[in-house]
mmCIF file of all heavy atoms in Angstrom:
data_model
loop_
_atom_site.group_PDB
_atom_site.id
_atom_site.type_symbol
_atom_site.label_atom_id
_atom_site.label_comp_id
_atom_site.label_asym_id
_atom_site.label_seq_id
_atom_site.Cartn_x
_atom_site.Cartn_y
_atom_site.Cartn_z
ATOM 1 N N LEU J 1 -289.852 68.854 -80.982
ATOM 2 C CA LEU J 1 -288.626 68.087 -80.740
ATOM 3 C C LEU J 1 -287.593 69.043 -80.141
ATOM 4 O O LEU J 1 -287.145 69.965 -80.814
ATOM 5 C CB LEU J 1 -288.113 67.486 -82.052
ATOM 6 C CG LEU J 1 -287.252 66.231 -81.969
ATOM 7 C CD1 LEU J 1 -288.052 65.076 -81.380
ATOM 8 C CD2 LEU J 1 -286.740 65.851 -83.337
ATOM 9 N N GLU J 2 -287.225 68.825 -78.892
ATOM 10 C CA GLU J 2 -286.402 69.787 -78.154
ATOM 11 C C GLU J 2 -284.954 69.327 -78.021
ATOM 12 O O GLU J 2 -284.684 68.174 -77.665
ATOM 13 C CB GLU J 2 -286.993 69.998 -76.753
ATOM 14 C CG GLU J 2 -286.229 71.005 -75.916
ATOM 15 C CD GLU J 2 -286.919 71.341 -74.616
ATOM 16 O OE1 GLU J 2 -287.900 70.661 -74.263
ATOM 17 O OE2 GLU J 2 -286.486 72.293 -73.934
ATOM 18 N N VAL J 3 -284.045 70.249 -78.298
ATOM 19 C CA VAL J 3 -282.621 69.973 -78.076
ATOM 20 C C VAL J 3 -282.328 70.096 -76.581
ATOM 21 O O VAL J 3 -282.580 71.130 -75.968
ATOM 22 C CB VAL J 3 -281.749 70.953 -78.877
ATOM 23 C CG1 VAL J 3 -280.284 70.836 -78.461
ATOM 24 C CG2 VAL J 3 -281.894 70.695 -80.371
ATOM 25 N N THR J 4 -281.809 69.009 -76.003
ATOM 26 C CA THR J 4 -281.507 69.002 -74.570
ATOM 27 C C THR J 4 -280.016 69.078 -74.282
ATOM 28 O O THR J 4 -279.605 69.321 -73.150
ATOM 29 C CB THR J 4 -282.081 67.732 -73.916
ATOM 30 O OG1 THR J 4 -281.563 66.580 -74.594
ATOM 31 C CG2 THR J 4 -283.604 67.729 -74.002
ATOM 32 N N GLY J 5 -279.196 68.871 -75.316
ATOM 33 C CA GLY J 5 -277.755 68.959 -75.129
ATOM 34 C C GLY J 5 -277.042 68.942 -76.464
ATOM 35 O O GLY J 5 -277.614 68.539 -77.485
ATOM 36 N N LEU J 6 -275.804 69.413 -76.470
ATOM 37 C CA LEU J 6 -274.991 69.404 -77.681
ATOM 38 C C LEU J 6 -273.848 68.399 -77.507
ATOM 39 O O LEU J 6 -273.256 68.298 -76.430
ATOM 40 C CB LEU J 6 -274.433 70.804 -77.959
ATOM 41 C CG LEU J 6 -275.484 71.887 -78.244
ATOM 42 C CD1 LEU J 6 -274.817 73.244 -78.427
ATOM 43 C CD2 LEU J 6 -276.323 71.533 -79.468
ATOM 44 N N LEU J 7 -273.569 67.655 -78.572
ATOM 45 C CA LEU J 7 -272.561 66.597 -78.527
ATOM 46 C C LEU J 7 -271.259 67.093 -79.154
ATOM 47 O O LEU J 7 -271.286 67.812 -80.154
ATOM 48 C CB LEU J 7 -273.069 65.370 -79.285
ATOM 49 C CG LEU J 7 -274.470 64.871 -78.907
ATOM 50 C CD1 LEU J 7 -274.879 63.708 -79.800
ATOM 51 C CD2 LEU J 7 -274.520 64.473 -77.434
ATOM 52 N N LYS J 8 -270.134 66.680 -78.568
ATOM 53 C CA LYS J 8 -268.833 67.128 -79.064
ATOM 54 C C LYS J 8 -267.866 65.958 -79.192
ATOM 55 O O LYS J 8 -267.950 64.976 -78.450
ATOM 56 C CB LYS J 8 -268.236 68.185 -78.124
ATOM 57 C CG LYS J 8 -269.044 69.474 -78.040
ATOM 58 C CD LYS J 8 -268.392 70.490 -77.111
ATOM 59 C CE LYS J 8 -269.233 71.761 -77.036
ATOM 60 N NZ LYS J 8 -268.648 72.780 -76.135
ATOM 61 N N GLN J 9 -266.958 66.093 -80.155
ATOM 62 C CA GLN J 9 -265.825 65.181 -80.303
ATOM 63 C C GLN J 9 -264.569 66.016 -80.459
ATOM 64 O O GLN J 9 -264.503 66.872 -81.352
ATOM 65 C CB GLN J 9 -266.013 64.277 -81.528
ATOM 66 C CG GLN J 9 -267.133 63.254 -81.398
ATOM 67 C CD GLN J 9 -267.251 62.370 -82.623
ATOM 68 O OE1 GLN J 9 -266.566 62.561 -83.625
ATOM 69 N NE2 GLN J 9 -268.135 61.383 -82.543
ATOM 70 N N ASN J 10 -263.610 65.817 -79.570
ATOM 71 C CA ASN J 10 -262.350 66.570 -79.594
ATOM 72 C C ASN J 10 -262.602 68.084 -79.583
ATOM 73 O O ASN J 10 -261.933 68.848 -80.279
ATOM 74 C CB ASN J 10 -261.514 66.181 -80.819
ATOM 75 C CG ASN J 10 -261.189 64.699 -80.851
ATOM 76 O OD1 ASN J 10 -260.876 64.107 -79.823
ATOM 77 N ND2 ASN J 10 -261.292 64.092 -82.031
ATOM 78 N N GLY J 11 -263.578 68.499 -78.794
ATOM 79 C CA GLY J 11 -263.851 69.923 -78.627
ATOM 80 C C GLY J 11 -264.685 70.553 -79.721
ATOM 81 O O GLY J 11 -264.963 71.756 -79.664
ATOM 82 N N ARG J 12 -265.057 69.788 -80.737
ATOM 83 C CA ARG J 12 -265.870 70.318 -81.839
ATOM 84 C C ARG J 12 -267.261 69.691 -81.809
ATOM 85 O O ARG J 12 -267.410 68.505 -81.485
ATOM 86 C CB ARG J 12 -265.222 70.009 -83.193
ATOM 87 C CG ARG J 12 -263.835 70.570 -83.348
ATOM 88 C CD ARG J 12 -263.816 72.076 -83.436
ATOM 89 N NE ARG J 12 -264.461 72.563 -84.666
ATOM 90 C CZ ARG J 12 -264.616 73.849 -84.955
ATOM 91 N NH1 ARG J 12 -264.216 74.786 -84.103
ATOM 92 N NH2 ARG J 12 -265.184 74.203 -86.096
ATOM 93 N N LEU J 13 -268.265 70.461 -82.158
ATOM 94 C CA LEU J 13 -269.629 69.950 -82.160
ATOM 95 C C LEU J 13 -269.794 68.839 -83.195
ATOM 96 O O LEU J 13 -269.283 68.934 -84.321
ATOM 97 C CB LEU J 13 -270.618 71.077 -82.484
ATOM 98 C CG LEU J 13 -270.867 72.112 -81.379
ATOM 99 C CD1 LEU J 13 -271.804 73.187 -81.871
ATOM 100 C CD2 LEU J 13 -271.435 71.459 -80.122
ATOM 101 N N SER J 14 -270.515 67.810 -82.793
ATOM 102 C CA SER J 14 -270.747 66.691 -83.705
ATOM 103 C C SER J 14 -272.221 66.307 -83.804
ATOM 104 O O SER J 14 -272.581 65.435 -84.593
ATOM 105 C CB SER J 14 -269.951 65.457 -83.243
ATOM 106 O OG SER J 14 -270.365 65.070 -81.932
ATOM 107 N N GLY J 15 -273.060 66.962 -83.005
ATOM 108 C CA GLY J 15 -274.481 66.630 -83.060
ATOM 109 C C GLY J 15 -275.221 67.177 -81.862
ATOM 110 O O GLY J 15 -274.718 68.030 -81.133
ATOM 111 N N ALA J 16 -276.437 66.668 -81.656
ATOM 112 C CA ALA J 16 -277.281 67.156 -80.568
ATOM 113 C C ALA J 16 -278.121 66.025 -80.003
ATOM 114 O O ALA J 16 -278.532 65.105 -80.728
ATOM 115 C CB ALA J 16 -278.188 68.278 -81.065
ATOM 116 N N ALA J 17 -278.363 66.089 -78.706
ATOM 117 C CA ALA J 17 -279.318 65.201 -78.055
ATOM 118 C C ALA J 17 -280.682 65.887 -78.094
ATOM 119 O O ALA J 17 -280.795 67.061 -77.730
ATOM 120 C CB ALA J 17 -278.909 64.939 -76.610
ATOM 121 N N VAL J 18 -281.692 65.158 -78.553
ATOM 122 C CA VAL J 18 -283.030 65.754 -78.668
ATOM 123 C C VAL J 18 -284.060 64.844 -78.029
ATOM 124 O O VAL J 18 -283.888 63.621 -77.965
ATOM 125 C CB VAL J 18 -283.412 66.041 -80.145
ATOM 126 C CG1 VAL J 18 -282.441 67.008 -80.782
ATOM 127 C CG2 VAL J 18 -283.492 64.753 -80.948
ATOM 128 N N LYS J 19 -285.146 65.460 -77.575
ATOM 129 C CA LYS J 19 -286.235 64.728 -76.926
ATOM 130 C C LYS J 19 -287.539 65.059 -77.626
ATOM 131 O O LYS J 19 -287.869 66.229 -77.824
ATOM 132 C CB LYS J 19 -286.324 65.110 -75.446
ATOM 133 C CG LYS J 19 -287.444 64.390 -74.691
ATOM 134 C CD LYS J 19 -287.452 64.780 -73.222
ATOM 135 C CE LYS J 19 -288.559 64.045 -72.469
ATOM 136 N NZ LYS J 19 -288.560 64.417 -71.022
ATOM 137 N N ASP J 20 -288.267 64.021 -78.008
ATOM 138 C CA ASP J 20 -289.585 64.202 -78.601
ATOM 139 C C ASP J 20 -290.555 64.563 -77.476
ATOM 140 O O ASP J 20 -290.821 63.743 -76.584
ATOM 141 C CB ASP J 20 -290.022 62.912 -79.299
ATOM 142 C CG ASP J 20 -291.362 63.050 -80.012
ATOM 143 O OD1 ASP J 20 -291.925 64.161 -80.012
ATOM 144 O OD2 ASP J 20 -291.830 62.045 -80.569
ATOM 145 N N ARG J 21 -291.094 65.765 -77.518
ATOM 146 C CA ARG J 21 -291.989 66.224 -76.460
ATOM 147 C C ARG J 21 -293.339 65.520 -76.502
ATOM 148 O O ARG J 21 -294.121 65.620 -75.549
ATOM 149 C CB ARG J 21 -292.183 67.737 -76.561
ATOM 150 C CG ARG J 21 -290.912 68.538 -76.245
ATOM 151 C CD ARG J 21 -291.099 70.011 -76.576
ATOM 152 N NE ARG J 21 -292.211 70.601 -75.851
ATOM 153 C CZ ARG J 21 -292.131 71.146 -74.640
ATOM 154 N NH1 ARG J 21 -290.963 71.163 -74.012
ATOM 155 N NH2 ARG J 21 -293.185 71.666 -74.069
ATOM 156 N N LEU J 22 -293.644 64.824 -77.589
ATOM 157 C CA LEU J 22 -294.923 64.118 -77.698
ATOM 158 C C LEU J 22 -294.842 62.694 -77.166
ATOM 159 O O LEU J 22 -295.764 62.210 -76.523
ATOM 160 C CB LEU J 22 -295.390 64.105 -79.161
ATOM 161 C CG LEU J 22 -295.544 65.477 -79.827
ATOM 162 C CD1 LEU J 22 -296.020 65.320 -81.258
ATOM 163 C CD2 LEU J 22 -296.508 66.370 -79.036
ATOM 164 N N SER J 23 -293.727 62.020 -77.427
ATOM 165 C CA SER J 23 -293.595 60.621 -77.000
ATOM 166 C C SER J 23 -292.595 60.420 -75.871
ATOM 167 O O SER J 23 -292.509 59.325 -75.316
ATOM 168 C CB SER J 23 -293.151 59.768 -78.195
ATOM 169 O OG SER J 23 -291.813 60.104 -78.570
ATOM 170 N N ALA J 24 -291.828 61.467 -75.568
ATOM 171 C CA ALA J 24 -290.750 61.424 -74.561
ATOM 172 C C ALA J 24 -289.552 60.601 -75.026
ATOM 173 O O ALA J 24 -288.604 60.384 -74.266
ATOM 174 C CB ALA J 24 -291.247 60.917 -73.213
ATOM 175 N N LYS J 25 -289.558 60.172 -76.281
ATOM 176 C CA LYS J 25 -288.420 59.417 -76.816
ATOM 177 C C LYS J 25 -287.216 60.338 -76.982
ATOM 178 O O LYS J 25 -287.346 61.485 -77.384
ATOM 179 C CB LYS J 25 -288.798 58.812 -78.173
ATOM 180 C CG LYS J 25 -287.691 57.965 -78.794
ATOM 181 C CD LYS J 25 -288.135 57.322 -80.092
ATOM 182 C CE LYS J 25 -287.032 56.460 -80.684
ATOM 183 N NZ LYS J 25 -287.440 55.806 -81.951
ATOM 184 N N GLU J 26 -286.024 59.818 -76.674
ATOM 185 C CA GLU J 26 -284.796 60.602 -76.795
ATOM 186 C C GLU J 26 -283.884 59.965 -77.847
ATOM 187 O O GLU J 26 -283.732 58.741 -77.892
ATOM 188 C CB GLU J 26 -284.086 60.686 -75.440
ATOM 189 C CG GLU J 26 -284.919 61.392 -74.384
ATOM 190 C CD GLU J 26 -284.189 61.539 -73.060
ATOM 191 O OE1 GLU J 26 -282.955 61.342 -73.050
ATOM 192 O OE2 GLU J 26 -284.844 61.842 -72.056
ATOM 193 N N ILE J 27 -283.294 60.806 -78.677
ATOM 194 C CA ILE J 27 -282.381 60.319 -79.711
ATOM 195 C C ILE J 27 -281.192 61.275 -79.807
ATOM 196 O O ILE J 27 -281.207 62.366 -79.226
ATOM 197 C CB ILE J 27 -283.059 60.210 -81.099
ATOM 198 C CG1 ILE J 27 -283.540 61.603 -81.562
ATOM 199 C CG2 ILE J 27 -284.200 59.212 -81.077
ATOM 200 C CD1 ILE J 27 -284.031 61.600 -83.001
ATOM 201 N N GLU J 28 -280.183 60.843 -80.553
ATOM 202 C CA GLU J 28 -279.043 61.708 -80.856
ATOM 203 C C GLU J 28 -278.977 61.916 -82.365
ATOM 204 O O GLU J 28 -279.180 60.970 -83.142
ATOM 205 C CB GLU J 28 -277.739 61.095 -80.341
ATOM 206 C CG GLU J 28 -277.672 61.052 -78.821
ATOM 207 C CD GLU J 28 -276.333 60.557 -78.295
ATOM 208 O OE1 GLU J 28 -275.502 60.074 -79.124
ATOM 209 O OE2 GLU J 28 -276.105 60.647 -77.075
ATOM 210 N N VAL J 29 -278.712 63.153 -82.756
ATOM 211 C CA VAL J 29 -278.634 63.510 -84.171
ATOM 212 C C VAL J 29 -277.209 63.925 -84.482
ATOM 213 O O VAL J 29 -276.641 64.792 -83.799
ATOM 214 C CB VAL J 29 -279.597 64.663 -84.509
ATOM 215 C CG1 VAL J 29 -279.559 64.965 -86.015
ATOM 216 C CG2 VAL J 29 -281.011 64.355 -84.055
ATOM 217 N N SER J 30 -276.611 63.317 -85.497
ATOM 218 C CA SER J 30 -275.244 63.653 -85.906
ATOM 219 C C SER J 30 -275.269 64.667 -87.038
ATOM 220 O O SER J 30 -276.077 64.551 -87.970
ATOM 221 C CB SER J 30 -274.514 62.390 -86.384
ATOM 222 O OG SER J 30 -274.404 61.458 -85.339
ATOM 223 N N ALA J 31 -274.387 65.661 -86.963
ATOM 224 C CA ALA J 31 -274.341 66.694 -88.002
ATOM 225 C C ALA J 31 -272.959 67.312 -88.079
ATOM 226 O O ALA J 31 -272.259 67.432 -87.072
ATOM 227 C CB ALA J 31 -275.368 67.781 -87.717
ATOM 228 N N ARG J 32 -272.568 67.704 -89.289
ATOM 229 C CA ARG J 32 -271.270 68.361 -89.490
ATOM 230 C C ARG J 32 -271.299 69.801 -88.978
ATOM 231 O O ARG J 32 -270.295 70.306 -88.474
ATOM 232 C CB ARG J 32 -270.914 68.353 -90.978
ATOM 233 C CG ARG J 32 -270.688 66.958 -91.545
ATOM 234 C CD ARG J 32 -270.489 66.990 -93.049
ATOM 235 N NE ARG J 32 -269.273 67.714 -93.439
ATOM 236 C CZ ARG J 32 -268.924 67.970 -94.696
ATOM 237 N NH1 ARG J 32 -269.707 67.549 -95.692
ATOM 238 N NH2 ARG J 32 -267.812 68.623 -94.967
ATOM 239 N N VAL J 33 -272.441 70.455 -89.142
ATOM 240 C CA VAL J 33 -272.581 71.846 -88.705
ATOM 241 C C VAL J 33 -273.914 71.993 -87.983
ATOM 242 O O VAL J 33 -274.933 71.459 -88.431
ATOM 243 C CB VAL J 33 -272.534 72.827 -89.900
ATOM 244 C CG1 VAL J 33 -272.709 74.263 -89.429
ATOM 245 C CG2 VAL J 33 -271.244 72.671 -90.681
ATOM 246 N N ILE J 34 -273.905 72.715 -86.871
ATOM 247 C CA ILE J 34 -275.141 72.978 -86.130
ATOM 248 C C ILE J 34 -275.418 74.479 -86.161
ATOM 249 O O ILE J 34 -274.537 75.299 -85.869
ATOM 250 C CB ILE J 34 -275.043 72.479 -84.675
ATOM 251 C CG1 ILE J 34 -274.874 70.956 -84.679
ATOM 252 C CG2 ILE J 34 -276.290 72.869 -83.883
ATOM 253 C CD1 ILE J 34 -274.753 70.350 -83.320
ATOM 254 N N VAL J 35 -276.659 74.815 -86.521
ATOM 255 C CA VAL J 35 -277.088 76.214 -86.623
ATOM 256 C C VAL J 35 -278.077 76.506 -85.510
ATOM 257 O O VAL J 35 -279.100 75.831 -85.374
ATOM 258 C CB VAL J 35 -277.741 76.499 -87.990
ATOM 259 C CG1 VAL J 35 -278.226 77.944 -88.066
ATOM 260 C CG2 VAL J 35 -276.768 76.208 -89.124
ATOM 261 N N ASN J 36 -277.784 77.517 -84.736
ATOM 262 C CA ASN J 36 -278.660 77.992 -83.665
ATOM 263 C C ASN J 36 -279.507 79.131 -84.223
ATOM 264 O O ASN J 36 -279.036 80.244 -84.404
ATOM 265 C CB ASN J 36 -277.790 78.465 -82.490
ATOM 266 C CG ASN J 36 -278.584 79.154 -81.388
ATOM 267 O OD1 ASN J 36 -279.802 79.032 -81.309
ATOM 268 N ND2 ASN J 36 -277.870 79.887 -80.531
ATOM 269 N N ALA J 37 -280.770 78.818 -84.525
ATOM 270 C CA ALA J 37 -281.681 79.817 -85.102
ATOM 271 C C ALA J 37 -282.917 79.917 -84.227
ATOM 272 O O ALA J 37 -284.044 79.800 -84.700
ATOM 273 C CB ALA J 37 -282.050 79.435 -86.539
ATOM 274 N N THR J 38 -282.702 80.146 -82.949
ATOM 275 C CA THR J 38 -283.793 80.094 -81.974
ATOM 276 C C THR J 38 -284.279 81.475 -81.535
ATOM 277 O O THR J 38 -284.942 81.607 -80.508
ATOM 278 C CB THR J 38 -283.376 79.266 -80.744
ATOM 279 O OG1 THR J 38 -282.157 79.795 -80.211
ATOM 280 C CG2 THR J 38 -283.168 77.814 -81.118
ATOM 281 N N GLY J 39 -283.965 82.491 -82.319
ATOM 282 C CA GLY J 39 -284.514 83.822 -82.055
ATOM 283 C C GLY J 39 -284.163 84.334 -80.675
ATOM 284 O O GLY J 39 -282.987 84.333 -80.282
ATOM 285 N N PRO J 40 -285.173 84.758 -79.896
ATOM 286 C CA PRO J 40 -284.893 85.314 -78.565
ATOM 287 C C PRO J 40 -284.212 84.328 -77.626
ATOM 288 O O PRO J 40 -283.650 84.732 -76.611
ATOM 289 C CB PRO J 40 -286.295 85.673 -78.042
ATOM 290 C CG PRO J 40 -287.160 85.765 -79.242
ATOM 291 C CD PRO J 40 -286.601 84.792 -80.229
#
């Protein structure tokens, strides 16, 4: 499941746009805090 974009409200992050690499379905995920733990 790949993050394709980050969502913002009033300049603050509010979630992420993600794409299922298996089905090609796209959804939006809402979150209070987003953690970038993608290593390299």
Side-chain angles (χ1 to χ4, degrees):
L1 205 63
E2 181 172 10
V3 170
T4 56
L6 297 177
L7 309 176
K8 296 181 181 180
Q9 291 181 355
N10 301 319
R12 301 291 293 178
L13 287 177
S14 60
V18 300
K19 180 178 181 179
D20 183 3
R21 292 171 58 88
L22 303 181
S23 68
K25 182 177 181 179
E26 298 183 14
I27 62 172
E28 292 185 351
V29 183
S30 298
R32 295 174 64 185
V33 179
I34 296 179
V35 178
N36 172 17
T38 54

